[in-house]
Each structure stands twice: as C-alpha cells, then as structure tokens.
Amino acid sequence: MGAGTLASALAVQGRAFFRLSYTNSSDRPQPLGLTPNFPAKVVPMDLNVHSGVRIKSGAFMCAIGRDVKFVLTMTSCSAGCCGGMGFILNELHGSGMAFINAGGTILEKNLGPGEVLLADTHSVVAFEKTVHYDVQRTGGLCVMCCGGEGLFNTKLTGPGKVWIQSMSFEKFAAEMARQVRRELRGGTGADIV
C-alpha cells in the first residue's frame, strides 16, 4: 500500500497517522496505564477468537501483539448513511488482545443464525464479520417524526457475536450540551433543544 493510499484510508476512517508502540526491555513485567479519552469502559477482545471483528470508528484503544492490523471494508449505501458506523468499517485482524472503549453498560450477545438484534444507531460498538449489518426504519411516519427514536435502527443479523453500549460518546456529548444550555438559562423551565 502506497503512502497516499494509506493516508487516504486513515483519513477516511478518522484514525491517527501514527500509533505508539511500547516495548518492555527489562527482564520483569512493568506497569503501563492507558485510559479512554472520554468516560468509558475498556472492553477486552481476544483476537485469537474474534479476528476480523468490525469496530466502531474511534473505539480502538490499544492491542497487545505486533501483528494487529486494520482492514477497510465497505458497507451498503443505506447502512453507510443511516447505520451509525459510516460507509467504511474498521475490521481488526491479528492475534493477541485488543482493547476497545465503550460507554455505559456493555452487552455482549451471541446471535444465532438468522437471529436479529435491533439497536440504536450509535449503540453498536463491534460485531464479528459473520454478522450482517444493515438498517431498518423505526416505524411509520408518525413514529419516525414524533417518537424520539430517530428514523432508523441498526439491524444486526447472526450468526456471530455483537458488542452494544448503552451510552455512546455521541449521546454523552449531546446530554452534556443539553445540561450546559439548561444551566445557561438559569436551570429552570423546560429543556428546549
């Protein structure tokens, strides 16, 4: 892969151009502290079991192992526009352990063949490459416009494992902005978006 192609791929994924690598050169184990860049939980993922897992952009935190790499995969037009993960999916390959960050409560679910899980578009953190990723309308016109759940949900169809979060960074940031607006208005009255 040429430098221009690599730079374009990283920019499309919203990833950094460089990754830090830490090596312990002593003969004893040494501590290393890492943390997500927002209030989140760290989710361990064994790449020996889940190699090829597709993760949300920005969810990757770190990995143990030198052969960890990302592969770009495209998704359908409808899932790319409305599924919450974009057109380009980050597919994580390798061996060893990877660590991703996710907010709130983390649900790990093994979907059976043909089993469907509907999730809020921002709640999907990762899913195995065997899981089909698509979108589904939340309901009729009245539900989509007035129900408060948006226009689409993410539809994940098994078989395979999925990881869902209850408080995505997008939801966290929106709620913080709402609270700041409320405080600027004096903390009283209805919250007007």
Side-chain angles (χ1 to χ4, degrees):
M1 181 181 291
T5 305
L6 177 61
S8 297
L10 291 170
V12 165
Q13 288 181 297
R15 290 183 22 219
F17 288 102
F18 300 99
R19 296 240 182 253
L20 291 175
S21 177
Y22 297 98
T23 304
N24 180 8
S25 58
S26 74
D27 56 352
R28 293 180 295 151
Q30 299 293 322
L32 175 65
L34 300 171
T35 182
N37 59 356
F38 71 100
K41 292 182 172 64
V42 177
V43 181
M45 195 173 283
D46 186 350
L47 293 179
N48 297 309
V49 176
H50 304 294
S51 186
V53 69
R54 294 171 179 171
I55 64 172
K56 183 175 187 166
S57 181
F60 178 77
M61 203 172 103
C62 63
I64 299 172
R66 293 209 176 262
D67 67 338
V68 175
K69 65 181 180 191
F70 285 91
V71 175
L72 301 176
T73 59
M74 294 290 291
T75 188
S76 69
C77 185
S78 60
C81 282
C82 308
M85 293 182 78
F87 289 101
I88 309 281
L89 299 178
N90 300 308
E91 197 170 282
L92 188 58
H93 290 269
S95 59
M97 293 296 293
F99 300 90
I100 60 175
N101 59 59
T105 300
I106 313 305
L107 168 72
E108 295 181 24
K109 170 101 172 113
N110 287 306
L111 297 176
E115 184 177 5
V116 174
L117 185 137
L118 290 176
D120 176 78
T121 55
H122 294 297
S123 294
V124 177
V125 179
F127 54 91
E128 289 182 319
K129 62 184 174 183
T130 56
V131 173
H132 179 70
Y133 167 66
D134 206 353
V135 293
Q136 179 176 309
R137 286 188 347 196
T138 55
L141 183 62
C142 188
V143 171
M144 291 189 314
C145 293
C146 306
E149 294 299 323
L151 302 177
F152 295 95
N153 282 323
T154 300
K155 180 179 179 182
L156 301 169
T157 307
K161 188 169 187 174
V162 299
W163 290 261
I164 306 293
Q165 63 186 343
S166 67
M167 181 58 77
S168 67
F169 178 72
E170 295 86 356
K171 285 183 185 177
F172 177 75
E175 182 57 30
M176 294 307 297
R178 242 187 315 278
Q179 294 299 326
V180 167
R181 283 194 303 272
R182 183 177 294 148
E183 288 298 319
L184 291 174
R185 284 193 314 269
T188 61
D191 187 22
I192 300 172
V193 177

